[in-house]
Amino acid sequence: MEMTQWTVLVNFFVLSLEILQSTSNKLDNCKPVSYPKSCKELLHLYGCLPDGLYILSSSSGATYLTFCDMTTNGGGWTLVASIHENNMYGKCTVGDRWSSQQENNQNVPEGDGSWSNKVTFGTVEAATSDDFKNPGYYEITAQDMSVWHVPNELSVDQWKEKSIFRYHTENNFLNQYGGNLYNLYKAYPVRYKAGACKTNNGPSSPIVYDHGNAGSLPKFYGPSTTIEYEPGYISFRAFNNEQAALALCSGVKPVGCNVEHICIGGGGFFPEGGGRQCGDFAGFDWDGYGTHNGWSASKEITESVVMLFYR
Amino acid sequence: MEMTQWTVLVNFFVLSLEILQSTSNKLDNCKPVSYPKSCKELLHLYGCLPDGLYILSSSSGATYLTFCDMTTNGGGWTLVASIHENNMYGKCTVGDRWSSQQENNQNVPEGDGSWSNKVTFGTVEAATSDDFKNPGYYEITAQDMSVWHVPNELSVDQWKEKSIFRYHTENNFLNQYGGNLYNLYKAYPVRYKAGACKTNNGPSSPIVYDHGNAGSLPKFYGPSTTIEYEPGYISFRAFNNEQAALALCSGVKPVGCNVEHICIGGGGFFPEGGGRQCGDFAGFDWDGYGTHNGWSASKEITESVVMLFYR
Amino acid sequence: MEMTQWTVLVNFFVLSLEILQSTSNKLDNCKPVSYPKSCKELLHLYGCLPDGLYILSSSSGATYLTFCDMTTNGGGWTLVASIHENNMYGKCTVGDRWSSQQENNQNVPEGDGSWSNKVTFGTVEAATSDDFKNPGYYEITAQDMSVWHVPNELSVDQWKEKSIFRYHTENNFLNQYGGNLYNLYKAYPVRYKAGACKTNNGPSSPIVYDHGNAGSLPKFYGPSTTIEYEPGYISFRAFNNEQAALALCSGVKPVGCNVEHICIGGGGFFPEGGGRQCGDFAGFDWDGYGTHNGWSASKEITESVVMLFYR
C-alpha cells in the first residue's frame, strides 16, 4: 500500500468520524416531526395494531393523546369525545360541558356550545371520569361513527370488555354532513327554539351492534320511553315538546316529543319542570335517579359515559 | 497489502457511507426539541413567515401552540390572550375567567386574579369561543402590544380579515412596566378598592390603527359613553365610581368614572346594581344586551373577543 | 502496509461500526421522545441534578412538566399535586377541585372525586395560584411522600426557600397502599358517611421535618384544635362528628372528631353549619378568615398551597 492510498484512507476515516460526531449531536436534539392525524391513518401505516392509546397530530402540528379502536369491524376508530354525567342532581352546573354550565337560562339558548365549537377539554385517561373532547372532534374528516357506553371510572384497558353496549354505522353518513359532528351541528344547531319536535329533528343513521343489541334498550331507557323511539339508529339534534334541543340519541331514532329521556347533551334552556332537564344526561332522572321507573333511565346507563369515535 | 484486503476495506467504506447517508436522511425528518420563545424570535430566524399557528417554547421547555401575526407593521406579534364573554347574562359565573367565577363578592376583591397570575387556560384554536391565556402572557418580555377585536366563533384563518378593529402601540411602553401585562398588573392590581376613579388609574399608551379607526368607537361603545373617554389609546386598570377595578380599556383612555361600559375584565366585586357589572365584559349590557342604547355597547363588540398580542 | 497499521485500521472500523450501531438504535427510539417517568428515575440517570422543572413521560407516552426536588434527603421527589384554596368564602364552588364544585350536596357524597380518579388539572407554573394534579398522581409507584406548604402566588424558584414548613416520610408506607394516593384513596374513599370519626379513619405515617418542626403547628392550626391531634404524622381520610370525609391531615394524626379544622380536601357533603365546611380548606375559617382564633387556622397557612410529592 502506498502513502497516497494511506492518506486517502485516513481522510475517509476522519470524514466519517466527523459526520458521526455531528449526527450524534443532532440526535440529542431530536424529536419526530409529526404523528398521524387519525387512528385510521395510523392503522394504514402499520397494517395491524392493537387497541390502545396513541399520539395524534392536529393539522397545526400540536399533538394529543387519544384511544384508537384498531380491531372492531376493521379498526381505525378514533375516540374524539366522551359525554359524562358528573352530577345528575346538578342542573346545568359545573361539569355539564355538553349542555350548559350557566344554569337553566333562556338567554343562553345554545348553552356552552360544545357540540359546534372548537373548545376542547378533559384527557383520554380520565374519559370515564370527566367530559372529554379533543381536536379530532372538529378536525378529522370521517365517514362513520361508533359509540361505546362504558361504566364510569373504568381504566382504558377495561373499556371495551366492560362496555354495556357498542355499535357503529357503516353507511358513510358523515359524508353528507361535512365529515364530522362539528360540521353536522353547525348545520343543525343544538339551540332552544331552533325548531320543533319531530318536524325539525336532525339526521339519523342506522347502526350495527358490536356488543349488545337493540333488544337491550328497554333495560336502559325508562319503561315509558318505549313508544318514543325506533331502535337501531343513532340520531342527532332532537327537539322536545317545549322546544328544548337535545344533541344525541344513542341507539334510537325519536318518534315522539319526550326526547329528553332518551337523548343526551343539549342547549342551555329546558322549559319543563323548572330546568330539571337541563344537564348532560337531560331528563334521565325524571322519575328518580337510576330507578328505571316511568321516564327514568337505569342506574347502569346513567353511570356510564358515552364515547364517540370517528372513522 | 493485497487486492482482496483492499476490496474488503472499500466495501466497508461503501457500507459505512450508505448507513451514514440513510442516517442523515432520517435526521432531516427530525426537528429540535426547543422552539423559539416568541413569534418575534421565530420571525428573526426565518426573515419572513406567513401569519398562522406556530409552536413556541416556554423557558421550562414546555411547548404551546399559538397564533403569530407575522405581517402587521413588520410582524412578530405573539397572541398571548383572548377575553371572551361566554354569557353576558352570567354575572361572575363559570367562564368569567378574566373577572371572577365566584359571583359578585366583596370578599374576593381580585376575583380569579388571571391578570396577574400564571394560571393558563383555553386553546388558540378555540380563542374566539372561550377565554385563552398561554405562558407567553407572563414569560415573554415585550415592548409593544397589538389588539384585535374578532367576532366570536370565527376560525383562525378568518380572524384578521374579519376583525372589527385592530391596532398596535409603537412607543415601547411595556419597557416601563416589566415587559408584559403580568408584571404591569402586579404593579397595578385589578382589585376592588385598590384605588379611586381617575386618581388611581393605571397607564395608557397611544395606539396606531391597523384596521378601522378611532372614528368607529361610537359605533361600538354606548352613546352615553362618549364623554367618558379620549380615543386613540389603550389603558390599563381603571376604577369606576364605586371603586370597582376594570382591567383593560381598548381604544380609549378613560376620563370619567363610568368605566365599566368601556373597559373589560376586572376584579371580583362591583357594588353598583347588585353585581350586574360583574363579568368579563362588565357593564356592556347596562341598558340591555347589544342594544347600543344609553350605556350599552353594540351587539357587534359584545359578541367579539379581544385578542392581546405582544412584540 | 505493516501489521500495526492494519490493526489500527481494523480498530478504526470496529469503532466506527459500533458508533453507527448505537446511532441506529437511537433512531429506532426517535419515534416518541421518551422522558423518565419520575424525578427519581431522572435523578438515577444523571446522579446529581438541581431542583427545578423537568419534563416527564406518562406510561402512554404523553409528556408533562413538573417540579423535581432533587436535593432533600437524597432527592428524587416528584411534585404530583397542589391543593390551593382559591376562595375560602366559596363553599364548594368553582375552584374547589379537591372537594366539590357542586355546592354542599348530600347527593354528591364524593364531591368531584379528584382524590381517587384520573382527572388532571392546572399547571406546575401556576401551582401556587390554582389546584394542580398531573398524571404522576396515579401513575407513579412510590414508597414515600413529602409535603410542602408554600405561600400563594410564589414563583417556582421561591417555593423551597419560602415554604412555611416541609417534611417527608421515610418508612416506605406507600408500599402497603398500592404505591400512590390514587390507590390509597380507592381503598379509603373520601366519601360522606363511608365511615365514622376515629373508628374508620385511614392510615397515618410518621414524618421527618425538613423545614420547621412539629412545635410550629400551633401557630398554624386554630388554638382549639391542639387537643384534636397528635403531631408528627401525615394522615389520610378522616371523618368528623357528622361523618363528613376529609382527605389529608398535614403534620398531624387526628385523635378527635373536629377534623375539618386540621385536615384539607374532602367529599361533597358537610352537614354541620349549612355547608360552611365544604371546600378545599374545609373549616379553616370556622371562627373567621385567617383569625387564628378558636377553630380558625392562621392567615399564613390558609394562604399557602399544600404540595404533594412522591418518591
Side-chain angles (χ1 to χ4, degrees):
Chain A
M1 197 176 186
E2 291 168 21
M3 203 50 211
T4 51
Q5 283 179 324
W6 180 241
T7 310
V8 166
L9 259 180
V10 167
N11 283 345
F12 251 128
F13 279 132
V14 169
L15 178 69
S16 301
L17 287 171
E18 276 173 0
I19 295 176
L20 279 168
Q21 185 84 32
S22 81
T23 298
S24 288
N25 286 347
K26 275 192 199 171
L27 274 174
D28 291 340
N29 287 329
C30 259
K31 74 176 184 185
V33 163
S34 83
Y35 296 91
K37 297 225 169 5
S38 69
C39 299
K40 187 178 165 188
E41 202 178 311
L42 182 62
L43 186 60
H44 282 320
L45 282 176
Y46 286 78
C48 172
L49 283 169
D51 296 348
L53 301 184
Y54 293 92
I55 299 176
L56 301 180
S57 272
S58 71
S59 60
S60 54
T63 60
Y64 63 99
L65 186 74
T66 196
F67 180 83
C68 295
D69 173 1
M70 293 307 207
T71 50
T72 299
N73 189 244
W77 301 96
T78 307
L79 176 67
V80 299
S82 80
I83 297 95
H84 170 259
E85 180 51 76
N86 66 318
N87 174 12
M88 194 73 234
Y89 300 92
K91 300 305 176 185
C92 285
T93 57
V94 180
D96 282 330
R97 304 201 63 150
W98 293 104
S99 47
S100 180
Q101 300 182 105
Q102 300 294 320
E103 300 183 348
N104 195 48
N105 188 341
Q106 189 160 359
N107 291 315
V108 190
E110 277 194 69
D112 277 24
S114 300
W115 297 95
S116 54
N117 69 24
K118 296 185 178 174
V119 176
T120 51
F121 38 82
T123 64
V124 63
E125 289 173 288
T128 53
S129 302
D130 199 6
D131 291 331
F132 176 49
K133 184 183 167 197
N134 63 37
Y137 181 87
Y138 56 82
E139 277 218 338
I140 291 173
T141 300
Q143 284 73 51
D144 282 297
M145 285 186 62
S146 82
V147 176
W148 295 11
H149 289 250
V150 180
N152 288 346
E153 305 300 331
L154 290 187
S155 292
V156 173
D157 55 353
Q158 306 172 302
W159 291 355
K160 196 173 210 168
E161 188 195 356
K162 299 198 173 169
S163 58
I164 61 177
F165 62 104
R166 293 188 281 112
Y167 59 82
H168 67 275
T169 69
E170 49 184 44
N171 60 349
N172 300 334
F173 83 101
L174 280 172
N175 284 345
Q176 299 170 248
Y177 303 105
N180 57 47
L181 292 182
Y182 173 79
N183 288 322
L184 186 153
Y185 287 112
K186 285 278 183 206
Y188 295 91
V190 184
R191 190 169 57 221
Y192 168 61
K193 268 203 172 164
C197 84
K198 292 201 230 178
T199 51
N200 300 106
N201 287 352
S204 293
S205 166
I207 58 173
V208 176
Y209 273 86
D210 298 306
H211 176 67
N213 56 62
S216 57
L217 285 180
K219 276 201 322 187
F220 298 126
Y221 298 127
S224 303
T225 67
T226 50
I227 56 161
E228 297 281 330
Y229 64 79
E230 189 180 336
Y233 291 88
I234 181 172
S235 303
F236 306 93
R237 211 271 301 262
F239 293 100
N240 73 3
N241 274 312
E242 297 80 20
Q243 295 189 266
L246 282 296
L248 188 142
C249 314
S250 180
V252 300
K253 183 201 282 186
V255 297
C257 290
N258 296 298
V259 295
E260 66 273 13
H261 310 301
I262 51 171
C263 306
I264 61 173
F269 189 56
F270 288 73
E272 196 181 9
R276 269 189 56 212
Q277 297 165 355
C278 203
D280 282 356
F281 278 9
F284 275 32
D285 63 344
W286 190 250
D287 290 312
Y289 178 91
T291 59
H292 201 240
N293 285 330
W295 297 102
S296 276
S298 71
K299 195 158 181 284
E300 200 175 8
I301 200 169
T302 304
E303 297 184 353
S304 294
V305 297
V306 181
M307 294 185 175
L308 308 182
F309 295 80
Y310 288 163
R311 180 176 72 180
Chain B
M1 195 179 187
E2 289 167 22
M3 204 51 210
T4 51
Q5 283 178 324
W6 180 242
T7 308
V8 166
L9 259 181
V10 167
N11 285 343
F12 253 128
F13 277 131
V14 170
L15 179 68
S16 300
L17 287 172
E18 276 172 1
I19 296 176
L20 278 169
Q21 186 82 32
S22 82
T23 300
S24 288
N25 284 347
K26 278 190 197 173
L27 275 174
D28 291 341
N29 289 331
C30 275
K31 66 181 179 182
V33 164
S34 152
Y35 295 90
K37 296 228 171 2
S38 68
C39 299
K40 187 178 165 187
E41 201 178 310
L42 183 62
L43 186 60
H44 281 321
L45 282 176
Y46 287 78
C48 173
L49 283 169
D51 295 349
L53 301 183
Y54 293 92
I55 298 176
L56 301 180
S57 272
S58 71
S59 61
S60 54
T63 59
Y64 63 99
L65 186 73
T66 196
F67 180 84
C68 296
D69 172 2
M70 293 306 207
T71 50
T72 299
N73 189 245
W77 301 96
T78 307
L79 177 67
V80 299
S82 79
I83 297 95
H84 170 258
E85 180 51 75
N86 66 318
N87 175 12
M88 194 73 235
Y89 300 92
K91 299 306 175 184
C92 285
T93 57
V94 180
D96 282 330
R97 303 201 65 151
W98 292 105
S99 47
S100 180
Q101 300 182 106
Q102 299 294 320
E103 298 181 350
N104 195 48
N105 187 342
Q106 189 160 359
N107 291 315
V108 191
E110 277 194 69
D112 278 24
S114 300
W115 296 96
S116 54
N117 69 24
K118 295 184 179 176
V119 177
T120 50
F121 39 81
T123 63
V124 62
E125 288 173 287
T128 53
S129 302
D130 200 4
D131 290 330
F132 176 49
K133 183 183 167 196
N134 63 38
Y137 181 87
Y138 56 82
E139 277 218 337
I140 292 173
T141 301
Q143 284 74 50
D144 283 296
M145 286 185 62
S146 81
V147 176
W148 296 10
H149 289 249
V150 179
N152 287 345
E153 305 300 332
L154 289 187
S155 293
V156 174
D157 56 354
Q158 305 172 302
W159 290 356
K160 195 172 210 169
E161 188 195 355
K162 298 198 174 169
S163 60
I164 62 176
F165 62 104
R166 293 189 281 114
Y167 58 82
H168 67 275
T169 70
E170 48 184 44
N171 60 348
N172 299 335
F173 82 101
L174 281 172
N175 285 346
Q176 299 170 249
Y177 303 104
N180 56 47
L181 292 183
Y182 173 79
N183 288 322
L184 185 154
Y185 286 112
K186 285 278 182 206
Y188 296 90
V190 183
R191 189 170 59 222
Y192 169 61
K193 268 202 173 165
C197 84
K198 292 201 232 178
T199 50
N200 299 105
N201 287 351
S204 292
S205 166
I207 59 174
V208 176
Y209 273 86
D210 298 306
H211 175 68
N213 57 62
S216 57
L217 286 180
K219 276 200 322 186
F220 299 125
Y221 297 127
S224 303
T225 67
T226 49
I227 55 161
E228 296 281 330
Y229 64 79
E230 189 179 337
Y233 291 88
I234 181 171
S235 302
F236 305 94
R237 213 272 301 262
F239 293 101
N240 72 5
N241 274 311
E242 297 80 20
Q243 294 188 267
L246 283 295
L248 188 142
C249 315
S250 180
V252 299
K253 182 200 283 187
V255 297
C257 291
N258 296 298
V259 294
E260 67 273 13
H261 311 300
I262 51 171
C263 304
I264 62 174
F269 189 56
F270 288 72
E272 195 181 9
R276 269 190 56 214
Q277 296 164 356
C278 203
D280 283 355
F281 279 9
F284 274 32
D285 63 345
W286 190 251
D287 289 313
Y289 178 91
T291 59
H292 201 240
N293 286 330
W295 296 101
S296 276
S298 71
K299 195 157 181 283
E300 200 175 8
I301 200 168
T302 304
E303 297 184 352
S304 295
V305 297
V306 181
M307 294 185 174
L308 308 183
F309 295 79
Y310 288 163
R311 181 175 73 182
Chain C
M1 195 175 186
E2 288 167 23
M3 205 49 209
T4 51
Q5 282 179 324
W6 180 241
T7 309
V8 166
L9 259 181
V10 167
N11 284 342
F12 252 129
F13 278 131
V14 170
L15 178 68
S16 300
L17 287 171
E18 275 172 2
I19 295 176
L20 279 168
Q21 186 84 31
S22 82
T23 299
S24 288
N25 286 347
K26 275 193 198 171
L27 275 173
D28 291 341
N29 291 331
C30 193
K31 260 177 84 182
V33 174
S34 152
Y35 295 91
K37 297 228 172 358
S38 68
C39 298
K40 187 178 166 188
E41 202 178 311
L42 182 64
L43 186 60
H44 281 321
L45 282 176
Y46 286 80
C48 172
L49 284 169
D51 295 348
L53 302 183
Y54 293 92
I55 298 176
L56 300 179
S57 274
S58 72
S59 61
S60 54
T63 59
Y64 63 99
L65 186 74
T66 195
F67 179 84
C68 295
D69 173 1
M70 293 306 208
T71 50
T72 299
N73 188 244
W77 301 97
T78 308
L79 176 67
V80 299
S82 79
I83 298 95
H84 171 258
E85 180 51 76
N86 66 318
N87 174 12
M88 195 74 233
Y89 300 92
K91 300 305 175 185
C92 286
T93 57
V94 181
D96 282 330
R97 303 202 65 151
W98 292 105
S99 48
S100 180
Q101 301 182 104
Q102 300 293 320
E103 299 181 351
N104 194 49
N105 187 342
Q106 189 160 0
N107 291 314
V108 191
E110 277 194 70
D112 277 24
S114 300
W115 296 95
S116 56
N117 68 24
K118 296 185 178 175
V119 176
T120 50
F121 39 82
T123 64
V124 64
E125 289 174 286
T128 52
S129 302
D130 199 5
D131 290 332
F132 176 50
K133 183 184 168 198
N134 63 37
Y137 180 87
Y138 56 83
E139 278 219 338
I140 292 173
T141 301
Q143 284 73 51
D144 284 297
M145 285 186 62
S146 82
V147 176
W148 296 11
H149 289 249
V150 180
N152 287 345
E153 305 300 331
L154 289 187
S155 293
V156 174
D157 55 354
Q158 305 172 301
W159 291 355
K160 196 172 211 169
E161 188 196 356
K162 299 198 173 169
S163 59
I164 62 177
F165 62 105
R166 292 188 282 114
Y167 57 83
H168 68 275
T169 70
E170 48 184 44
N171 60 349
N172 299 335
F173 83 102
L174 281 172
N175 285 346
Q176 300 169 247
Y177 304 105
N180 56 46
L181 293 182
Y182 173 79
N183 288 322
L184 186 153
Y185 287 112
K186 285 279 183 204
Y188 296 91
V190 184
R191 190 170 57 222
Y192 168 61
K193 268 200 172 165
C197 84
K198 292 201 230 176
T199 51
N200 300 105
N201 286 352
S204 292
S205 166
I207 58 173
V208 176
Y209 273 86
D210 299 305
H211 175 69
N213 57 62
S216 55
L217 285 180
K219 276 200 323 187
F220 299 125
Y221 298 127
S224 303
T225 68
T226 49
I227 56 162
E228 297 280 330
Y229 63 79
E230 189 181 335
Y233 291 89
I234 181 171
S235 304
F236 305 93
R237 213 271 301 262
F239 293 100
N240 73 5
N241 275 312
E242 297 80 20
Q243 295 188 265
L246 282 294
L248 188 142
C249 315
S250 180
V252 299
K253 183 201 284 189
V255 297
C257 290
N258 296 297
V259 295
E260 65 273 12
H261 311 299
I262 51 171
C263 305
I264 61 173
F269 189 56
F270 289 72
E272 195 181 10
R276 267 189 57 212
Q277 296 165 356
C278 203
D280 283 356
F281 278 8
F284 275 32
D285 62 345
W286 190 252
D287 289 313
Y289 178 93
T291 59
H292 202 241
N293 285 331
W295 297 101
S296 276
S298 71
K299 195 157 182 282
E300 200 175 7
I301 200 169
T302 304
E303 297 184 353
S304 294
V305 297
V306 181
M307 294 185 175
L308 308 182
F309 296 79
Y310 289 163
R311 180 175 72 180

